[in-house]
Amino acid sequence: MDFMRKSLPKTVKVCGYEIKKMPMGAFLNALETIQTAPTQILNAIWPGKTLDEVLFDLKHLDEQMLVQLITGALSTAAPMLLEMLSELSGIPEEKLREDPNIGPAGIVEIIKTVWEVNDLKNVVAALGDLWSRKAPQMKSGSRA
């Protein structure tokens, strides 16, 4: 596998921007964005509501509330995605939003390129393997 990692390009040009291997700091900043995402999205959809109120609303979900949920989630998640992608790609957030050469298809291409250039598939697999080795094994039928 090492020979494959060595063959990965160090930089790739997408939509006129150079995507490079990210430094560890950019990866950590992106993880910080991911960590706060669920709370921010829930607060955008149900501002000021308690968890019990949110659960009550979800129990009584109707079409109008579903539309509100989806639009609230997307309007909050999209800027977070751009912030994270900017951190990982080195492309300024404003360019990701405003450059007509990027657009939605370009965003997808940039995400795929960041994933490939940084060999994140192998990183995720290695972390999953490490986690499965270190996590206590639950016996079938036991209670935690």
Side-chain angles (χ1 to χ4, degrees), residues 5-67:
R5 282 193 205 113
K6 289 178 185 173
S7 70
L8 288 172
K10 299 243 188 245
T11 62
V12 175
K13 206 161 196 156
V14 178
C15 299
Y17 297 90
E18 201 170 79
I19 307 297
K20 301 176 184 176
K21 281 192 175 250
M22 65 181 164
M24 189 62 183
F27 182 68
L28 294 174
N29 287 342
L31 286 177
E32 214 172 277
T33 301
I34 292 169
Q35 182 179 357
T36 62
T39 302
Q40 289 182 21
I41 291 169
L42 285 174
N43 286 335
I45 299 168
W46 290 283
K49 289 198 174 185
T50 66
L51 182 56
D52 287 338
E53 292 169 323
V54 169
L55 293 174
F56 178 83
D57 284 353
L58 286 173
K59 263 176 136 175
H60 300 91
L61 190 66
D62 60 13
E63 187 176 337
Q64 181 182 357
M65 190 184 301
L66 182 60
V67 170

